[in-house]
Amino acid sequence: MARITKHAEKRAKERCGINDKAIERMAEKVLKEGIKHKDCTGQIKKWVDKLYLEEKVANNIRLYGDKAYLFNSTTLITIIQIPNSLVNRIKTIQARRQNQNDTEDA
């Protein structure tokens, strides 16, 4: 179960426009379905690497939609907007993962 810091609550309201209950659900969903560092390639991987090195306490970064969710284990620390130049690439990765899941279920 994901825990959420006060800072993460504030950032979720500010950057995502969601309330406290929705933050808890979103954090759980991001932990389960978000793009992990190992799934990243190219410029996205470089950006996540840089983010990891800058944010020393964040040891679990997940990408979901157009946001990066920074966790310390399962505690949501903050939410950061992904640069616009990388958003389309992330959507491509998410679509590829969805297609893989669909073919595995069939």
Side-chain angles (χ1 to χ4, degrees):
M1 182 170 179
R3 291 183 20 212
I4 294 107
T5 64
K6 294 289 182 190
H7 178 79
E9 285 180 9
K10 182 178 176 183
R11 292 298 173 250
K13 289 176 185 176
E14 176 184 303
R15 296 177 178 158
C16 303
I18 56 179
N19 63 25
D20 293 340
K21 289 246 183 208
I23 295 167
E24 292 174 17
R25 289 190 307 269
M26 179 59 84
E28 290 292 330
K29 186 171 187 169
V30 168
L31 275 174
K32 290 178 186 172
E33 301 174 15
I35 297 170
K36 299 175 187 175
H37 181 254
K38 69 177 185 174
D39 298 329
C40 297
T41 59
Q43 289 182 326
I44 298 169
K45 184 175 180 358
K46 287 179 185 177
W47 183 76
V48 172
D49 288 343
K50 180 182 172 206
L51 196 59
Y52 177 78
L53 293 172
E54 288 174 355
E55 304 293 333
K56 305 262 189 247
V57 294
N59 60 9
N60 186 3
I61 299 173
R62 301 293 173 104
L63 308 177
Y64 192 85
D66 63 345
K67 307 276 190 287
Y69 295 80
L70 282 64
F71 291 87
N72 182 328
S73 188
T74 58
T75 302
L76 181 61
I77 300 168
T78 194
I79 302 168
I80 296 174
Q81 179 68 41
I82 296 171
N84 287 336
S85 60
L86 300 177
V87 171
N88 286 336
R89 292 182 179 148
I90 290 173
K91 289 180 182 178
T92 302
I93 292 171
Q94 287 173 330
R96 188 178 330 132
R97 287 178 70 198
Q98 184 63 41
N99 288 340
Q100 287 175 347
N101 289 342
D102 291 345
T103 56
E104 288 173 4
D105 292 342

